[in-house]
Amino acid sequence: MAQTLFDKIWQSHAVAQTEGGATLIAIDRIFLHERTGAAALKRMADMGRKVRDPARVFAVMDHIVDTRIGRGDGTLMAGGEGFITETRAACKAAGITLFDVNDRDQGIVHVISPEQGIVLPACTLVAPDSHTCTQGAFGALAWGIGSSEAEHAMVTGTLRLDKPKTMRVRFDGTLSPGVTPKDMVLALIAQHGAGGGAGFALEFAGVAVSAMDMEGRMTLCNMATEFSAMTGMIAPDAKTFAYLAGRPYAPGDFDDPYWKNLHSDEGAVFDKQIVLDASTIAPMVSWGTSPEHSMPITAQVPAGPKRAHHYIGLAPGDRLAGTAIDAAFIGSCTNSRLSDLRRAAQILEGRRIAPSIRKALAVPGSMAVKRAAEAEGLDRIFEAAGFEWRMSGCSLCFYAGGEGFPEGSRVISSTNRNFEGRQGPGIRTHIASPETVAASAIAGSIADPREYAREEAAA
């Protein structure tokens, strides 16, 4: 019988079936971070339980760690240093590989795992972070879990799961200039709702997806969780294998025929299919307090929940383009990779952010990304434009009680969530692509990045 990629991975990792119909799934890789990692390892130690296979478990300092240049264990978040020092001690005691605060390979978990070749096609990978689905871009089955599930996976090497349904999301056609994978996934969520993927494992496919580089594919899969899907994945191809080959934890090559069979078979049946025309997608920006509250930048704000309109301060019929902003953020596991920084820098080069912008941050997704960007001079472009150039970490993707934006700020952000208070109490967040963030920072208001590309072309 023809199988989907998801079914192939599920079947190869199924250990046993429970009486209630759930499946015990073997877990190949587990990632921890300092926000919950120490607590999970401490509970295990208190109960006399050990990590079954420490070689399969990795940890990173990314969620609470300070991103200011010259950082150490200290954080602006009260009590944050304790999370860091306790995680370090717990990882050492358990024999777990840790990417520490100032390790040259430190970074956001979903950025460094591919960089290191820890995620591989057809592997199962879990982490106590909802954006673990990012790594499905490599043809892996990757999903977010809770801390207690992380403990279970570390002790037993398995997790109990109810099998989700399958959905294929196909993007036909070719993206227009200035339109990005971030815009694609926001268009999907806006059209089908933030709950549209609930109960499904997604496979992204189609001409527009095949044309993407690996970093674009990671952005697409990253926001499968904002669609409420269990995970998102893309079948591995030559681009995938070329990206991974020779990385520290990956094979030197992917010549074995096994790797070439990791795709959905012709005739495989999905429980649901969605088809979008990529050529019709425009740069997208969120207007409200959910990713489903997103719209083309040239459109008018639609009628939506009163609370969302009240919080964001926009009424039905208002135009997003031209709405004044106070701050800009480029970073997060969604859009902090080298290609993201390059595209934003192309817009910023030779320009300055508006005087009204009170804070603008550029936070590379990993120290490796930071070094590569600096080798190309991107840091100098960001700083000359008025952005702060930071060290890697999750930073202000979410507010942890430390650093924040000025009170009451309206922020244009390359992150993935625009919930009430996500970037700080009372902060109004508009999520968009790095290009849109850069263009908006220059304009001092939400701006169409295509206009800046046209200016460059005319010059």
Side-chain angles (χ1 to χ4, degrees):
M1 177 180 287
Q3 291 183 300
T4 66
L5 174 60
F6 172 81
D7 287 329
K8 290 179 181 180
I9 300 174
W10 183 276
Q11 182 177 314
S12 67
H13 286 76
V15 176
Q17 200 82 6
T18 69
E19 290 184 4
T23 304
L24 202 61
I25 295 293
I27 305 301
D28 298 319
R29 303 282 191 274
I30 304 163
F31 244 109
L32 306 175
H33 55 76
E34 81 277 26
R35 200 175 188 199
T36 59
L41 291 168
K42 185 178 184 300
R43 280 192 296 268
M44 288 168 54
D46 289 346
M47 291 185 285
R49 294 172 177 164
K50 294 184 178 181
V51 176
R52 181 182 180 91
D53 186 355
R56 294 174 180 260
V57 185
F58 303 84
V60 64
M61 307 291 195
D62 66 348
H63 272 60
I64 295 170
V65 65
D66 195 353
T67 60
R68 293 172 299 175
I69 301 298
R71 70 181 175 200
D73 290 351
T75 67
L76 291 175
M77 170 188 165
E81 184 172 351
F83 285 93
I84 290 171
T85 56
E86 289 171 16
T87 298
R88 182 180 296 130
C91 288
K92 183 177 180 180
I96 291 171
T97 298
L98 170 66
F99 299 96
D100 211 336
V101 173
N102 285 316
D103 191 305
R104 65 179 280 105
D105 295 321
Q106 180 271 347
I108 301 172
V109 54
H110 315 307
V111 177
I112 68 168
S113 176
E115 285 179 348
Q116 295 295 310
I118 292 169
V119 63
L120 293 173
C123 84
T124 52
L125 185 150
V126 296
D129 184 290
S130 59
H131 291 101
T132 305
C133 53
T134 306
Q135 301 181 59
F138 294 87
L141 176 52
W143 71 99
I145 57 173
S147 294
S148 58
E149 290 176 299
E151 294 173 41
H152 190 282
M154 285 190 282
V155 173
T156 69
T158 63
L159 280 176
R160 178 184 176 277
L161 292 173
D162 292 320
K163 188 176 182 180
K165 295 179 180 180
T166 56
M167 180 191 299
R168 179 160 58 193
V169 177
R170 200 176 79 226
F171 287 93
D172 292 339
T174 303
L175 289 176
S176 300
V179 182
T180 72
K182 179 69 160 286
D183 303 312
M184 291 168 66
V185 72
L186 286 177
L188 168 69
I189 297 168
Q191 290 181 34
H192 295 275
F200 290 91
L202 307 187
E203 181 178 335
F204 294 106
V207 174
V209 175
S210 297
M212 288 180 194
D213 61 19
M214 292 310 302
E215 298 193 346
R217 295 178 188 186
M218 283 186 260
T219 295
L220 190 63
C221 289
N222 173 270
M223 292 189 67
T225 188
E226 274 71 42
F227 195 45
S228 298
M230 177 254 191
T231 191
M233 61 174 59
I234 297 170
D237 59 11
K239 293 179 183 178
T240 315
F241 302 133
Y243 180 100
L244 290 171
R247 293 183 183 266
Y249 292 90
D253 63 62
F254 290 84
D255 295 335
D256 191 289
Y258 165 78
W259 303 105
K260 305 302 187 283
N261 190 44
L262 295 175
H263 56 80
S264 291
D265 298 327
E266 186 175 348
V269 177
F270 291 82
D271 295 298
K272 184 174 181 178
Q273 295 204 56
I274 292 174
V275 180
L276 292 92
D277 183 352
S279 68
T280 65
I281 297 172
M284 301 286 290
V285 182
S286 69
W287 64 263
T289 56
S290 164
E292 73 179 7
H293 300 153
S294 294
M295 55 182 255
I297 196 166
T298 54
Q300 293 177 310
V301 174
K306 290 183 179 179
R307 178 167 176 161
H309 285 292
H310 176 74
Y311 184 85
I312 208 70
L314 292 171
D318 287 348
R319 290 200 172 274
L320 269 182
T323 300
I325 58 168
D326 307 295
F329 181 86
I330 295 176
S332 84
C333 58
T334 313
N335 284 124
S336 63
R337 297 171 181 84
L338 185 58
S339 61
D340 298 313
L341 300 177
R342 283 173 176 159
R343 296 195 310 272
Q346 286 176 351
I347 290 175
L348 292 171
E349 189 168 14
R351 298 183 172 109
R352 286 281 301 177
I353 63 174
S356 59
I357 300 297
R358 295 187 282 170
K359 190 167 190 170
L361 300 181
V363 186
S366 71
M367 293 307 291
V369 169
K370 182 175 183 289
R371 288 192 300 273
E374 289 171 352
E376 296 181 11
L378 303 187
D379 58 320
R380 295 190 294 275
I381 294 173
F382 277 100
E383 289 176 333
F387 274 74
E388 292 181 48
W389 181 252
R390 293 294 188 91
M391 299 180 78
S392 62
C394 294
S395 188
L396 280 172
C397 174
F398 71 99
Y399 180 70
E403 183 178 18
F405 291 106
E407 185 176 351
S409 291
R410 185 182 297 277
V411 183
I412 187 81
S413 178
S414 74
T415 52
N416 41 54
R417 289 180 177 164
N418 54 330
F419 305 152
E420 292 184 22
R422 171 71 177 184
Q423 290 186 297
I427 301 300
R428 295 167 294 175
T429 298
H430 296 274
I431 51 178
S433 71
E435 292 94 322
T436 300
V437 175
S440 302
I442 295 164
S445 59
I446 296 175
D448 191 331
R450 296 172 296 186
E451 295 301 320
Y452 290 81
R454 292 189 188 110
E455 286 180 21
E456 291 173 3

